[in-house]
């Protein structure tokens, strides 16, 4: 957050050029999906989230949970 004499500003995106931005973003993804990553149904690498289940049944529920968590944390998905 940046505070000036007139108002404060909260960045809504990660600035390019900051050396720790990728690590920060990866840490955020790991925190959001930690339980799904631990069960092996979700893999996250920077801006890629991969959902993999053994059977088709239940796959859609995991995808819905991933999208729900992204929305709750103000992220969005482009397709």
């Amino acid at each position: 957050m940046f505070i000036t004499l007139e108002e404060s500003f909260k960045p809504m995106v990660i600035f390019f050029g900051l050396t720790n931005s990728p690590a920060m973003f990866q840490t955020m993804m790991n925190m959001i999906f930690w339980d799904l990553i631990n069960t092996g149904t979700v893999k996250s690498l920077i801006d890629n989230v991969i959902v993999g289940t053994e059977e088709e049944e239940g796959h859609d529920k995991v995808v819905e949970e991933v999208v729900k968590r992204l929305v709750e944390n103000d992220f969005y998905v482009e397709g």
Side-chain angles (χ1 to χ4, degrees):
M1 180 178 288
F2 301 99
I3 301 172
T4 66
L5 294 175
E6 296 182 18
E7 62 185 301
S8 60
F9 299 94
K10 181 179 179 186
M12 300 305 291
V13 295
I14 294 177
F15 296 113
F16 289 103
L18 297 177
T19 57
N20 63 345
S21 293
M24 241 172 89
F25 188 80
Q26 183 64 52
T27 300
M28 289 172 21
M29 291 291 105
N30 290 344
M31 288 171 44
I32 292 169
F33 300 120
W34 69 272
D35 58 327
L36 297 173
I37 292 171
N38 286 340
T39 62
T41 56
V42 170
K43 304 279 189 231
S44 172
L45 180 61
I46 308 293
D47 61 349
N48 295 308
V49 178
I50 301 168
V51 176
T53 57
E54 292 289 326
E55 289 133 21
E56 239 179 283
E57 189 176 322
H59 182 81
D60 291 343
K61 285 188 178 189
V62 176
V63 172
E64 287 175 14
E65 181 64 26
V66 166
V67 172
K68 182 182 123 205
R69 292 183 190 194
L70 289 171
V71 169
E72 287 173 350
N73 290 278
D74 297 322
F75 290 101
Y76 64 94
V77 178
E78 284 187 13

